[in-house]
């Protein structure tokens, strides 16, 4: 069962519970959690959340990527790859790498990393260890089992 179908089933179950519950019968924790998430998401013009914007070097894959903001979410695309990487994996210029990231609690998350060759999607979160070092952590389902990539600002 994929993560997307599991999320759909869980969301459907929550809708059934809310549809057949009397008003105010939901646990307070669920109501607070959703309000907390929306309250902490920064607006698109927050300079703290824009610290990841720009060009980054991805040494593991010998490529340059650009992180940009569009409609309040953050995306990344591949700008250029080395000749050796292009010969081994093919042309990957302008392929979308990261999608739909939002900023909350000093990390960018909620989006996905798209593997440029296979198209496989992974959940992802990004953190800045300093102004010139970005850590991208990709995982499938559980954050416990992840793979981290370190990028440096160009």
């Amino acid at each position: 069962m994929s993560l997307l179908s599991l999320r759909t089933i869980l969301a459907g179950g929550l809708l059934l519970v809310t549809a057949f519950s009397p008003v105010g019968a939901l646990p307070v924790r669920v109501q607070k959690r959703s309000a907390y998430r929306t309250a902490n998401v920064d607006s698109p013009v927050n300079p703290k959340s824009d610290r990841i914007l720009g060009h980054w070097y991805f040494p593991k894959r010998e490529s340059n990527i650009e992180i940009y903001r569009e409609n309040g979410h953050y995306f990344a695309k591949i700008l250029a790859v080395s000749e050796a990487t292009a010969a081994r994996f093919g042309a990957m210029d302008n392929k979308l790498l990261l999608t739909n990231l939002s900023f909350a609690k000093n990390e960018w998350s909620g989006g996905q990393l798209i593997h440029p060759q296979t198209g496989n999607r992974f959940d992802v979160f990004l953190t800045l260890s300093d102004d010139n070092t970005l850590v991208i952590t990709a995982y499938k389902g559980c954050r416990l089992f992840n793979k981290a990539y370190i990028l440096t600002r160009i």
Side-chain angles (χ1 to χ4, degrees), residues 51-118:
R51 293 181 299 164
I52 64 168
L53 296 179
H55 297 264
W56 297 87
Y57 178 65
F58 198 162
K60 178 111 173 142
R61 301 292 182 223
E62 298 176 339
S63 61
N64 295 334
I65 68 168
E66 177 187 16
I67 298 178
Y68 59 96
R69 185 185 60 216
E70 188 174 293
N71 297 325
H73 286 80
Y74 296 88
F75 298 84
K77 66 180 177 180
I78 300 171
L79 291 178
V81 296
S82 70
E83 289 180 20
T85 302
R88 185 172 171 197
F89 299 113
M92 291 186 274
D93 296 350
N94 289 321
K95 283 198 174 183
L96 197 58
L97 186 66
L98 299 170
T99 64
N100 297 322
L101 294 168
S102 0
F103 180 75
K105 297 183 185 180
N106 292 325
E107 78 174 19
W108 293 262
S109 61
Q112 292 185 327
L113 179 138
I114 304 169
H115 192 281
Q117 298 162 303
T118 64

Side-chain angles (χ1 to χ4, degrees), residues 21-42:
S21 298
V23 177
L26 283 177
V28 176
R29 189 175 125 205
V30 172
Q31 292 171 349
K32 282 185 179 180
R33 188 173 201 189
S34 62
Y36 182 75
R37 279 188 162 284
T38 57
N40 279 344
V41 175
D42 286 343

